[in-house]
Amino acid sequence: MTKITAAITAVGKYLPEYALTNKELETMVDTNDEWITSRTGIKERRILKGEGKGTSFMAIKAAEDLLKKSNINPEEIDMVIVATATPDMPVASTAAYTASKIGAINAFSYDLQAACSSFLYGMSTASRYIESGRYKKVLLIGADKMSSIINYTDRATCIIFGDGAGAALFEPNNDGLGLQDEYLRSDGIGREFLKIEAGGSILPTSEDTLKNGQHFVHQEGKSVFKYAVSNMADVSEKMLTRNNLTKEDIQWLVPHQANKRIIEATANRVGLEDDKVMMNIHKYGNTTSATLPLLLNDYEKELKKGDNLIFAAFGGGFTWGAIYLKWAYNS
Ligand code: UT7
């Protein structure tokens, strides 16, 4: 019997209309376009405006885009995973709501939280369900409304993050296409450097935590940067060596979009030129769980069946890893 592999067979996306530019940020905090561009590569990021709109608003739109493009009946979907660090609510699954709203009435669903590695880890999870042979259509959505947890008076974080959502459908493949290998890691040492201190079980929200701004993301950028550079490069290199791949065998690096300098360091380590490195950080900033599927959407037309892709991500926790996947379709 041929081994079942898990292939991505369709993608979709949603980006809010409002673009928060570096110029506008200059009016909000003590920063400037030159600093942001040279230190991060970001020019603008999208922000979801409008009362009552949470992460599910974008997750639903991204899923609907995928369904429309691929002509798939949502009733055929077996499972919906929403990878997110910003669920609609702390309790009540964002994925369950998303699945119902898109008409995936035969699916079960849950949220997956691994900070900026959520989508990467979700690719692993979705693939295991497909490879088991029990599930035929798993919809993985990466969506984050980062603007809901960012302090727009903190220049260390507000220049980096943006809102967005991307979706990918995983289906069984009998020709060896799809996910080939993965190396996923985590290290709890990281929670000191990138966190939201309050609002969880250690420090429930109180008047004091609100006053101290502890419900916002706090990041020690320099420390996270150091870990991100070495770990993302290490795991990407590992994917190549342990699969006997040379840089010539790789068509695309699909790196988490946290900082252009981290992406370039990863690409350098595996010897890939710019034209093989997916990049859209200048347009969207760091959208956390949405960076990888947004890249797939932006580059979909350039992807060819059989292309070798190396995904890599690093995020809070710490969480990180790399995945080697063979692309399964021409669009
Ligand atoms: O996706 C999840 C994982 N997260 C990451 O991978 C993020 C990793 N970290 C980073 O990308 C970078 O550390 C940042 C972009 C967050 C910061 O860049 P940096 O080159 O590490 O800057 P820094 O924090 O070391 O600050 C350098 C200088 C400081 O001034 P002094 O002390 O040298 O006078 C900061 O106060 O830049 C100053 N600075 C700013 N200046 C203008 C910090 N933020 C800003 C700002 N505008 N927004």
Short mmCIF file of all heavy atoms in Angstrom, two decimals, residues 184-215:
data_model
loop_
_atom_site.label_atom_id
_atom_site.label_comp_id
_atom_site.label_asym_id
_atom_site.label_seq_id
_atom_site.Cartn_x
_atom_site.Cartn_y
_atom_site.Cartn_z
N LEU A 184 10.53 19.98 15.18
CA LEU A 184 9.86 21.00 15.99
C LEU A 184 10.46 21.00 17.39
O LEU A 184 10.70 19.94 17.95
CB LEU A 184 8.35 20.72 16.06
CG LEU A 184 7.62 20.58 14.72
CD1 LEU A 184 6.15 20.28 14.92
CD2 LEU A 184 7.81 21.81 13.85
N ARG A 185 10.67 22.19 17.94
CA ARG A 185 11.32 22.31 19.24
C ARG A 185 10.57 23.32 20.12
O ARG A 185 9.80 24.14 19.63
CB ARG A 185 12.77 22.82 19.08
CG ARG A 185 13.61 22.12 18.06
CD ARG A 185 13.99 20.71 18.46
NE ARG A 185 14.73 20.71 19.71
CZ ARG A 185 14.55 19.80 20.68
NH1 ARG A 185 13.65 18.85 20.54
NH2 ARG A 185 15.27 19.86 21.78
N SER A 186 10.86 23.27 21.43
CA SER A 186 10.36 24.32 22.33
C SER A 186 11.30 24.40 23.54
O SER A 186 12.01 23.43 23.85
CB SER A 186 8.93 24.03 22.78
OG SER A 186 8.88 22.84 23.53
N ASP A 187 11.29 25.56 24.20
CA ASP A 187 12.12 25.75 25.39
C ASP A 187 11.49 26.84 26.25
O ASP A 187 11.43 28.01 25.85
CB ASP A 187 13.54 26.16 24.98
CG ASP A 187 14.49 26.22 26.18
OD1 ASP A 187 14.00 26.25 27.34
OD2 ASP A 187 15.71 26.25 25.97
N GLY A 188 11.01 26.42 27.43
CA GLY A 188 10.29 27.32 28.33
C GLY A 188 11.12 28.48 28.87
O GLY A 188 10.56 29.43 29.44
N ILE A 189 12.41 28.43 28.65
CA ILE A 189 13.27 29.54 29.07
C ILE A 189 12.79 30.85 28.45
O ILE A 189 12.96 31.95 28.99
CB ILE A 189 14.75 29.27 28.67
CG1 ILE A 189 15.69 30.29 29.32
CG2 ILE A 189 14.95 29.33 27.18
CD1 ILE A 189 17.16 30.09 28.95
N GLY A 190 12.12 30.71 27.29
CA GLY A 190 11.75 31.89 26.51
C GLY A 190 10.63 32.72 27.08
O GLY A 190 10.42 33.87 26.65
N ARG A 191 9.88 32.20 28.02
CA ARG A 191 8.70 32.98 28.43
C ARG A 191 9.02 34.26 29.18
O ARG A 191 8.18 35.12 29.34
CB ARG A 191 7.67 32.11 29.14
CG ARG A 191 7.82 31.86 30.60
CD ARG A 191 6.51 31.22 31.05
NE ARG A 191 6.55 30.74 32.41
CZ ARG A 191 5.53 30.15 32.99
NH1 ARG A 191 4.42 29.92 32.33
NH2 ARG A 191 5.60 29.74 34.24
N GLU A 192 10.25 34.37 29.64
CA GLU A 192 10.66 35.63 30.29
C GLU A 192 10.82 36.77 29.27
O GLU A 192 10.73 37.93 29.61
CB GLU A 192 11.99 35.44 31.03
CG GLU A 192 11.85 34.63 32.31
CD GLU A 192 10.66 35.10 33.15
OE1 GLU A 192 10.54 36.31 33.40
OE2 GLU A 192 9.84 34.23 33.54
N PHE A 193 11.09 36.41 28.03
CA PHE A 193 11.49 37.42 27.04
C PHE A 193 10.35 37.90 26.14
O PHE A 193 10.48 38.93 25.49
CB PHE A 193 12.63 36.87 26.17
CG PHE A 193 13.80 36.38 26.93
CD1 PHE A 193 14.18 35.05 26.88
CD2 PHE A 193 14.52 37.25 27.74
CE1 PHE A 193 15.27 34.59 27.60
CE2 PHE A 193 15.62 36.80 28.47
CZ PHE A 193 15.99 35.47 28.40
N LEU A 194 9.29 37.11 26.06
CA LEU A 194 8.18 37.48 25.17
C LEU A 194 6.90 36.94 25.79
O LEU A 194 6.69 35.72 25.83
CB LEU A 194 8.43 36.89 23.77
CG LEU A 194 7.37 37.08 22.69
CD1 LEU A 194 6.90 38.51 22.59
CD2 LEU A 194 7.90 36.62 21.34
N LYS A 195 6.06 37.87 26.31
CA LYS A 195 4.92 37.39 27.07
C LYS A 195 3.85 38.47 27.24
O LYS A 195 4.12 39.67 27.06
CB LYS A 195 5.37 36.93 28.46
CG LYS A 195 5.99 38.06 29.28
CD LYS A 195 6.50 37.55 30.62
CE LYS A 195 7.36 38.60 31.30
NZ LYS A 195 8.02 38.16 32.51
N ILE A 196 2.65 38.01 27.62
CA ILE A 196 1.64 38.89 28.20
C ILE A 196 1.52 38.41 29.64
O ILE A 196 1.08 37.28 29.89
CB ILE A 196 0.29 38.76 27.48
CG1 ILE A 196 0.41 39.21 26.03
CG2 ILE A 196 -0.79 39.56 28.22
CD1 ILE A 196 -0.86 39.06 25.22
N GLU A 197 1.93 39.25 30.58
CA GLU A 197 2.04 38.79 31.96
C GLU A 197 0.70 38.50 32.63
O GLU A 197 0.55 37.52 33.36
CB GLU A 197 2.74 39.87 32.79
CG GLU A 197 4.20 39.59 32.97
CD GLU A 197 4.87 40.61 33.86
OE1 GLU A 197 4.40 41.76 33.94
OE2 GLU A 197 5.88 40.24 34.48
N ALA A 198 -0.28 39.36 32.37
CA ALA A 198 -1.53 39.27 33.12
C ALA A 198 -2.68 38.72 32.27
O ALA A 198 -2.60 38.69 31.04
CB ALA A 198 -1.90 40.63 33.68
N GLY A 199 -3.73 38.31 32.96
CA GLY A 199 -4.92 37.83 32.26
C GLY A 199 -4.97 36.32 32.18
O GLY A 199 -5.96 35.74 31.73
N GLY A 200 -3.90 35.67 32.66
CA GLY A 200 -3.88 34.21 32.71
C GLY A 200 -4.04 33.72 34.13
O GLY A 200 -4.43 34.50 35.03
N SER A 201 -3.72 32.45 34.39
CA SER A 201 -3.99 31.88 35.71
C SER A 201 -2.95 32.30 36.76
O SER A 201 -3.23 32.27 37.96
CB SER A 201 -4.05 30.36 35.61
OG SER A 201 -2.88 29.86 35.00
N ILE A 202 -1.76 32.71 36.32
CA ILE A 202 -0.76 33.15 37.30
C ILE A 202 -1.13 34.54 37.85
O ILE A 202 -1.05 34.79 39.05
CB ILE A 202 0.65 33.22 36.67
CG1 ILE A 202 1.16 31.81 36.37
CG2 ILE A 202 1.63 33.96 37.58
CD1 ILE A 202 2.56 31.78 35.77
N LEU A 203 -1.53 35.39 36.95
CA LEU A 203 -1.83 36.77 37.34
C LEU A 203 -3.14 37.23 36.67
O LEU A 203 -3.11 37.86 35.60
CB LEU A 203 -0.66 37.68 36.91
CG LEU A 203 -0.68 39.13 37.38
CD1 LEU A 203 -0.68 39.22 38.90
CD2 LEU A 203 0.52 39.88 36.80
N PRO A 204 -4.27 36.88 37.28
CA PRO A 204 -5.56 37.28 36.68
C PRO A 204 -5.67 38.81 36.57
O PRO A 204 -5.04 39.54 37.33
CB PRO A 204 -6.60 36.72 37.66
CG PRO A 204 -5.87 35.64 38.39
CD PRO A 204 -4.45 36.08 38.49
N THR A 205 -6.46 39.25 35.62
CA THR A 205 -6.63 40.69 35.40
C THR A 205 -7.16 41.36 36.66
O THR A 205 -8.09 40.86 37.31
CB THR A 205 -7.64 40.92 34.26
OG1 THR A 205 -7.21 40.16 33.14
CG2 THR A 205 -7.71 42.40 33.88
N SER A 206 -6.57 42.50 37.00
CA SER A 206 -7.06 43.29 38.14
C SER A 206 -6.86 44.76 37.77
O SER A 206 -6.23 45.07 36.75
CB SER A 206 -6.24 42.96 39.39
OG SER A 206 -4.91 43.42 39.22
N GLU A 207 -7.33 45.62 38.63
CA GLU A 207 -7.13 47.05 38.35
C GLU A 207 -5.65 47.37 38.22
O GLU A 207 -5.23 48.15 37.36
CB GLU A 207 -7.74 47.88 39.49
CG GLU A 207 -9.21 48.17 39.27
CD GLU A 207 -9.79 49.03 40.39
OE1 GLU A 207 -9.09 49.97 40.82
OE2 GLU A 207 -10.92 48.74 40.80
N ASP A 208 -4.85 46.72 39.08
CA ASP A 208 -3.40 46.97 39.05
C ASP A 208 -2.77 46.51 37.74
O ASP A 208 -1.94 47.21 37.16
CB ASP A 208 -2.70 46.25 40.22
CG ASP A 208 -2.76 47.08 41.48
OD1 ASP A 208 -3.11 48.28 41.38
OD2 ASP A 208 -2.47 46.53 42.57
N THR A 209 -3.14 45.31 37.29
CA THR A 209 -2.51 44.80 36.06
C THR A 209 -2.88 45.68 34.88
O THR A 209 -2.08 45.90 33.98
CB THR A 209 -2.90 43.33 35.77
OG1 THR A 209 -4.31 43.26 35.50
CG2 THR A 209 -2.53 42.40 36.90
N LEU A 210 -4.11 46.18 34.89
CA LEU A 210 -4.53 47.09 33.81
C LEU A 210 -3.74 48.38 33.86
O LEU A 210 -3.24 48.87 32.84
CB LEU A 210 -6.02 47.39 33.93
CG LEU A 210 -6.96 46.28 33.45
CD1 LEU A 210 -8.41 46.62 33.77
CD2 LEU A 210 -6.80 46.03 31.96
N LYS A 211 -3.62 48.91 35.07
CA LYS A 211 -2.88 50.17 35.25
C LYS A 211 -1.43 50.03 34.79
O LYS A 211 -0.86 50.93 34.19
CB LYS A 211 -2.93 50.56 36.74
CG LYS A 211 -2.80 52.05 36.98
CD LYS A 211 -3.08 52.41 38.43
CE LYS A 211 -2.05 51.76 39.33
NZ LYS A 211 -2.50 51.49 40.70
N ASN A 212 -0.86 48.83 35.05
CA ASN A 212 0.55 48.60 34.69
C ASN A 212 0.73 48.14 33.23
O ASN A 212 1.86 47.84 32.83
CB ASN A 212 1.17 47.55 35.61
CG ASN A 212 1.17 47.99 37.06
OD1 ASN A 212 1.18 49.19 37.34
ND2 ASN A 212 1.13 47.03 37.98
N GLY A 213 -0.34 48.04 32.52
CA GLY A 213 -0.23 47.62 31.12
C GLY A 213 0.23 46.18 30.95
O GLY A 213 0.81 45.81 29.92
N GLN A 214 -0.06 45.33 31.94
CA GLN A 214 0.43 43.94 31.87
C GLN A 214 -0.44 43.04 30.99
O GLN A 214 -0.17 41.85 30.87
CB GLN A 214 0.53 43.36 33.30
CG GLN A 214 1.68 43.96 34.10
CD GLN A 214 1.55 43.67 35.58
OE1 GLN A 214 0.58 44.11 36.23
NE2 GLN A 214 2.49 42.93 36.13
N HIS A 215 -1.49 43.63 30.41
CA HIS A 215 -2.33 42.85 29.48
C HIS A 215 -1.84 43.03 28.04
O HIS A 215 -2.47 42.54 27.12
CB HIS A 215 -3.80 43.26 29.62
CG HIS A 215 -4.04 44.73 29.47
ND1 HIS A 215 -3.54 45.67 30.36
CD2 HIS A 215 -4.70 45.44 28.53
CE1 HIS A 215 -3.89 46.88 29.97
NE2 HIS A 215 -4.59 46.77 28.86
#
